[in-house]
Amino acid sequence: MFKTIKSDLPASIVVFFVALPLCLGIALASGAPLFSGLIAGIVGGIVVGGLSGSKIGVSGPAAGLAAIVLTAIGTLGGYENFLVAVVLGGIIQLIFGLLKAGIIGYYFPSSVIKGMLTGIGIIIILKQIPHFFGYDPDPEGDFAFFQVDGENTFSEIINAFNHIAPGSALIGTIGLGILLLWDKVLSKKGKIFQLVQGPLVAVVVGIIFFVLTKSHETLGIDQSHLVSVPIPEDAASFLGQFSFPNFSEITNPEIWIVAFTIALVASLETLLCVEATDKLDPHKNVTPTNRELLAQGTGNIISGMIGGLPITQVIVRSSANIQSGGRSKMSAIIHGFFLLISVILIPRLLNMIPLSVLASILFIVGFKLAKPSLFKKMYDLGWKQSIPFFVTVLGIVFTDLLVGIGMGLAVGIVVILIKSYQNSHFLHIEDKSNGKHKIKMTLAEEVTFFNKGAILKELDSLPRDTQLVLDVTKTRYLDNDIVEILDDFAFKAKERDIDIQLISERGIVENPDSFIEFFKLRPKTA
């Protein structure tokens, strides 16, 4: 793992700056103690990063679970009771991993995964615009369209333009300029500019700007527009920030319902993120999904035991890691240690970082996920790829991550059904001599009940006085529904003077009396 430390160390710094406000923001959006988000980020980096088989995935508190957590803390009677559900959710995830449930991740269409990445890229940009201009009543990490403060994504942006904070906007613009200069020019000029990354420079400049303008009437940045890490007075107050599960409530059935919900949603979000990060990875590593579920389950057990939020693999951090050149799991682990060390040693310094500078870093991450060229590429691939892609993107932007993916997946299934409908058979008109149509229908290798509609339509459209040649020599699986259709058609064919010639591996049969009897001789095959 240490072979790629030159790449992993700079990447871990970028991931740290991306993760820090998200850990705090997701905790705030979840109605949980701020420190719980940092615990989840630390455990997600160090524990899950160490156990995971993913080289570039980064885990932390789950934005997709914020609404569930907010509701559950209220219904379960307090945060300590909720932590029991987090621990149980982790145990259920371990069971999922042992049962090899990770294979589910391989069944999401590529167009939906690309739509998920693009949709998240757009959401990152849209959600960071208010923070960039210094107007941010909604916490970081709330990626849903309808926000916890009663606004939606677009109304919040309109409000931001009406309440621009000059200091935040100026340092955000300077930060964005530094990032673009580093990315496009300086990174190609020397190794020092690759080792010291643009985001670190932008953050340092942001802190200096805050200190210099602190008392300035116009350019001074308000405390609400800065990172807000809890500051313990001493070791005892630091340890007092940890919460512990109230296991006396373990028999409460509502806790088990919440635990199963956490396990299901967290596992699904993780598997989707694994698919997406593997697709982004320039080195094309393949993450073992069952091992990932075991790692996530272990992480959630530990996080729940010490007062942390539920954990998933997170696409925002993972994509920032990839874009910053992360090569191995060391970048995820080191970012976890950075979170731990910084909240213990330098919380006051962290609280001088303007959120607008961190927004400029996330702008770059979002743009690289949602490049305009990708829209054209997906459109050029045709409607079977582009429709699930665009539905997923719009669903994520106007609802939330899981609903958007569900919409894209539903459209993807409809596309598969249409393709199955079209690809069940090949139809060739071979000869029209002597006034008698000769039509050959060659069935595909696998013909299932999905293909009923297409085959029925073709058979019903055959004219009278036709010779139908039905070739099943290549067919290895013929669904019973299709056999029954053929058997019914054989009866109608006599009334319409249609002769049937059945060609199979067993020879040629003219006008078989019963297709059911014929195919019974070779169950489930032709």
Side-chain angles (χ1 to χ4, degrees):
M1 287 194 294
F2 289 98
K3 289 179 182 177
T4 56
I5 193 70
K6 287 182 180 178
S7 300
D8 293 330
L9 184 59
S12 67
I13 295 170
V14 178
V15 177
F16 163 69
F17 285 129
V18 168
L20 180 64
L22 291 177
C23 287
L24 296 165
I26 291 166
L28 194 60
S30 303
L34 286 181
F35 196 65
S36 66
L38 293 169
I39 292 170
I42 293 163
V43 173
I46 299 171
V47 178
V48 179
L51 295 175
S52 169
S54 175
K55 291 189 175 181
I56 35 75
V58 185
S59 296
L65 282 165
I68 294 169
V69 174
L70 182 65
T71 306
I73 291 171
T75 57
L76 297 180
Y79 191 64
E80 286 75 13
N81 294 348
F82 168 74
L83 290 176
V84 179
V86 178
V87 174
L88 293 174
I91 294 169
I92 294 168
Q93 277 188 296
L94 289 180
I95 295 168
F96 286 166
L98 293 171
L99 294 175
K100 312 289 187 191
I103 196 171
I104 294 167
Y106 298 125
Y107 288 93
F108 290 94
S110 173
S111 56
V112 174
I113 296 299
K114 288 175 183 173
M116 167 190 166
L117 288 168
T118 306
I120 288 172
I122 293 169
I123 278 290
I124 289 170
I125 294 168
L126 294 175
K127 292 292 187 180
Q128 290 306 313
I129 291 172
H131 295 285
F132 185 83
F133 289 111
Y135 178 78
D136 40 18
D138 192 57
E140 285 274 13
D142 181 9
F143 291 144
F145 181 72
F146 294 105
Q147 300 177 170
V148 294
D149 62 355
E151 300 287 345
N152 64 52
T153 303
F154 296 106
S155 68
E156 193 76 85
I157 292 171
I158 293 166
N159 288 339
F161 283 124
N162 293 327
H163 300 85
I164 293 174
S168 292
L170 177 59
I171 191 56
T173 305
I174 292 169
L176 189 58
I178 291 170
L179 293 167
L180 292 172
L181 180 68
W182 228 266
D183 189 45
K184 301 297 181 185
V185 181
L186 295 179
S187 62
K188 300 174 179 67
K189 296 292 184 184
K191 287 188 177 179
I192 184 67
F193 296 114
Q194 293 171 8
L195 188 63
V196 179
Q197 294 251 329
L200 177 59
V201 177
V203 167
V204 170
V205 170
I207 293 172
I208 294 169
F209 180 89
F210 166 72
V211 173
L212 294 177
T213 62
K214 192 186 293 186
S215 57
H216 196 280
E217 191 175 330
T218 305
L219 296 179
I221 299 174
D222 189 79
Q223 194 67 41
S224 64
H225 304 147
L226 301 169
V227 169
S228 181
V229 177
I231 301 175
E233 296 300 323
D234 48 37
S237 62
F238 174 75
L239 294 172
Q241 295 179 97
F242 291 88
S243 303
F244 303 99
N246 175 22
F247 283 112
S248 64
E249 288 290 312
I250 199 167
T251 54
N252 182 347
E254 287 188 1
I255 282 178
W256 284 90
I257 293 168
V258 172
F260 190 79
T261 304
I262 289 170
L264 202 60
V265 175
S267 299
L268 184 58
E269 200 165 318
T270 291
L271 293 173
L272 286 164
C273 186
V274 163
E275 278 289 290
T277 48
D278 284 355
K279 202 166 283 295
L280 285 175
D281 183 9
H283 303 283
K284 301 304 175 191
N285 294 297
V286 177
T287 301
T289 52
N290 294 315
R291 178 175 168 182
E292 188 64 33
L293 288 178
L294 293 172
Q296 296 290 337
T298 305
N300 274 318
I301 292 170
I302 294 172
S303 182
M305 289 295 287
I306 57 175
L309 290 172
I311 295 169
T312 66
Q313 194 176 120
V314 185
I315 192 63
V316 182
R317 294 164 212 220
S318 302
S319 55
N321 187 28
I322 295 163
Q323 292 166 20
S324 304
R327 292 287 305 276
S328 80
K329 60 168 69 180
M330 280 307 295
S331 57
I333 295 169
I334 294 169
H335 117 275
F337 278 109
F338 278 150
L339 283 171
L340 176 61
I341 294 164
S342 64
V343 298
I344 295 172
L345 299 180
I346 54 167
R348 294 182 195 281
L349 183 64
L350 294 178
N351 288 348
M352 295 180 186
I353 301 173
L355 288 176
S356 57
V357 174
L358 299 179
S360 67
I361 297 171
L362 285 164
F363 278 160
I364 303 293
V365 173
F367 180 78
K368 288 184 176 179
L369 285 173
K371 287 182 177 176
S373 58
L374 182 62
F375 288 88
K376 184 179 184 307
K377 182 181 175 183
M378 293 305 296
Y379 179 79
D380 291 342
L381 286 174
W383 69 272
K384 291 172 185 174
Q385 290 293 312
S386 62
I387 291 180
F389 170 82
F390 285 112
V391 167
T392 305
V393 171
L394 292 171
I396 288 172
V397 170
F398 287 100
T399 57
D400 61 31
L401 177 64
L402 292 177
V403 173
I405 289 166
M407 290 167 64
L409 192 58
V411 172
I413 291 169
V414 171
V415 169
I416 291 168
L417 293 175
I418 292 170
K419 286 169 75 175
S420 296
Y421 178 91
Q422 293 172 338
N423 297 332
S424 58
H425 61 286
F426 303 95
L427 192 63
H428 307 286
I429 298 176
E430 287 196 340
D431 187 16
K432 288 187 176 180
S433 58
N434 301 322
K436 184 144 186 160
H437 294 276
K438 184 176 182 182
I439 295 177
K440 183 176 183 182
M441 184 185 288
T442 305
L443 295 189
E445 192 170 331
E446 290 194 9
V447 188
T448 70
F449 69 92
F450 288 144
N451 310 126
K452 282 170 67 173
I455 293 174
L456 265 173
K457 181 183 174 185
E458 296 294 356
L459 292 174
D460 286 344
S461 66
L462 291 177
R464 295 180 68 88
D465 296 319
T466 295
Q467 182 181 0
L468 172 65
V469 178
L470 189 62
D471 188 343
V472 294
T473 51
K474 295 179 182 177
T475 307
R476 292 291 165 265
Y477 177 82
L478 197 61
D479 197 290
N480 189 63
D481 288 35
I482 308 301
V483 176
E484 289 181 1
I485 285 171
L486 294 174
D487 205 59
D488 292 342
F489 176 73
F491 177 77
K492 296 176 189 173
K494 293 173 185 175
E495 297 179 343
R496 291 159 56 189
D497 296 323
I498 295 174
D499 291 321
I500 302 171
Q501 185 181 73
L502 179 63
I503 303 174
S504 76
E505 289 179 345
R506 288 157 42 208
I508 299 174
V509 179
E510 301 285 344
N511 295 316
D513 292 328
S514 170
F515 280 89
I516 292 174
E517 291 300 319
F518 181 86
F519 288 115
K520 262 185 185 176
L521 298 174
R522 290 176 59 197
K524 292 196 175 182
T525 69

